[in-house]
């Protein structure tokens, strides 16, 4: 295998042990994926040469969304006053902007609906009284959680874009799996703080286990340009 395309990212461990089982996680470098790409073509080109029948191939939600034309230039987003108001109350972390700027909050209002976002904000305010966090996203749902805004470390040209969560993630993962000859595929939303599995190709796949295997974000979230990875049981 070419080390140029099949790598372990700097600062990441190749092997992780979860519940007594060791898993190898390898990242695959690709070109910069855009809306000119077909996600099934991308997964076939970069993962099929390396993936084995018992592997799990995973791809970042951002890369999938970009192929679905769900990356919107910041200049094309015009936040309403409500978005500018609500974003002031979003917890800022070093792991990403989330809904902490008017543009990402505006897209949350459009994706999830204004009533749902307002209800989530109200529930979140109550949660803060009891020193509880995370209630906003539990109500707003994965569409809100999956919205990514530009950061200093975002790979160009997406440092000037807001990227929404992928559409129909389970169905998309199934199509990707078919292109790989039935190898299992997951669409992941993992950062250096938390993670979730948005799409799986096979109902037998354990989303919670996958989050544990990928909890240290082996693909990275900066300039690595490795949106695809392979999970392999170490025997």
């Amino acid at each position: 295998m070419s080390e140029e395309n099949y790598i372990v990212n700097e600062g990441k461990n190749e092997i992780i042990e979860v519940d007594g089982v060791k898993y190898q996680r390898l990242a695959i470098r690709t070109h910069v994926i855009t809306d000119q790409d077909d996600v099934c073509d991308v997964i076939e080109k970069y993962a099929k040469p390396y993936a084995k029948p018992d592997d799990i191939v995973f791809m970042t939600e951002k890369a999938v969304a970009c192929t679905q034309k769900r990356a919107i230039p910041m200049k094309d987003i015009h936040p309403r006053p409500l978005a500018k108001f609500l974003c002031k109350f979003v917890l800022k972390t070093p792991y990403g902007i989330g809904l902490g700027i008017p543009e990402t909050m505006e897209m949350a209002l459009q994706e999830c609906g204004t009533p749902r976002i307002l209800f989530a904000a109200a529930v979140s305010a109550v949660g803060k009284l009891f020193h509880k966090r995370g209630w906003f996203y539990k109500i707003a749902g994965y569409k809100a959680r999956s919205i990514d805004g530009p950061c200093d470390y975002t790979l160009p040209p997406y440092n000037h874009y807001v990227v929404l969560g992928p559409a129909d993630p389970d169905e998309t993962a199934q199509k990707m799996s078919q292109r790989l000859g039935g190898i299992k595929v997951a669409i992941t939303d993992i950062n250096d703080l938390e993670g979730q599995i948005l799409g799986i190709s096979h109902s037998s796949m354990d989303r919670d286990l996958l989050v544990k295997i990928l909890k240290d974000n082996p693909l990275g979230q900066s300039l690595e340009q490795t949106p695809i990875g392979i999970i392999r049981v170490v025997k």
Side-chain angles (χ1 to χ4, degrees):
M1 295 180 183
S2 169
E3 292 184 0
E4 181 181 351
N5 292 324
Y6 192 90
I7 63 174
V8 177
N9 278 318
E10 184 178 356
K12 306 297 182 180
N13 293 321
E14 179 177 348
I15 307 291
I16 190 172
E17 185 171 334
V18 178
D19 300 332
V21 180
K22 291 183 178 180
Y23 299 90
Q24 182 182 34
R25 298 94 42 81
L26 291 157
I28 299 176
R29 183 171 286 125
T30 72
H31 67 280
V32 177
I33 295 170
T34 72
D35 61 4
Q36 300 302 303
D37 291 299
D38 179 282
V39 71
C40 291
D41 291 343
V42 171
I43 206 78
E44 181 177 26
K45 176 180 179 180
Y46 289 103
K48 193 168 186 178
Y50 308 133
K52 298 179 180 179
D54 293 332
D55 289 345
I56 296 176
V57 175
F58 62 103
M59 188 170 185
T60 66
E61 93 291 352
K62 193 167 188 175
V64 175
C66 288
T67 68
Q68 297 175 331
K69 296 180 170 57
R70 290 177 64 75
I72 300 108
M74 290 275 285
K75 63 181 179 62
D76 292 343
I77 302 172
H78 306 289
R80 70 194 85 172
L82 179 60
K84 296 176 182 178
F85 173 73
L86 289 175
C87 73
K88 297 177 182 178
F89 301 98
V90 174
L91 177 67
K92 309 297 192 298
T93 77
Y95 302 105
I97 287 176
L99 304 185
I101 59 174
E103 289 82 2
T104 52
M105 182 60 76
E106 174 60 32
M107 295 315 301
L109 289 166
Q110 293 185 28
E111 280 283 284
C112 306
T114 299
R116 185 166 188 166
I117 293 297
L118 287 175
F119 181 54
V123 170
S124 176
V126 173
K128 288 177 181 178
L129 294 176
F130 295 95
H131 306 288
K132 301 290 186 181
R133 292 180 176 176
W135 287 9
F136 176 88
Y137 288 109
K138 287 181 180 178
I139 301 298
Y142 87 89
K143 286 185 177 181
R145 184 187 292 272
S146 300
I147 294 172
D148 283 331
C151 300
D152 292 339
Y153 52 76
T154 303
L155 182 71
Y158 298 110
N159 53 337
H160 299 290
Y161 282 69
V162 171
V163 183
L164 308 179
D168 305 314
D170 283 336
E171 180 181 337
T172 302
Q174 291 165 14
K175 291 178 180 178
M176 294 160 70
S177 173
Q178 290 170 6
R179 189 66 72 90
L180 294 178
I183 292 173
K184 293 177 180 177
V185 172
I187 297 173
T188 63
D189 182 5
I190 309 285
N191 58 42
D192 291 335
L193 181 64
E194 60 182 1
Q196 60 180 332
I197 307 302
L198 299 185
I200 53 175
S201 60
H202 296 65
S203 60
S204 61
M205 297 169 70
D206 186 333
R207 295 176 192 255
D208 292 336
L209 176 60
L210 289 174
V211 169
K212 291 178 183 178
I213 295 170
L214 301 174
K215 64 181 180 181
D216 59 338
N217 193 15
L219 297 185
Q221 64 182 68
S222 183
L223 304 177
E224 294 88 353
Q225 205 169 315
T226 52
I228 299 173
I230 291 175
I231 298 169
R232 181 172 297 156
V233 174
V234 178
K235 299 179 180 179

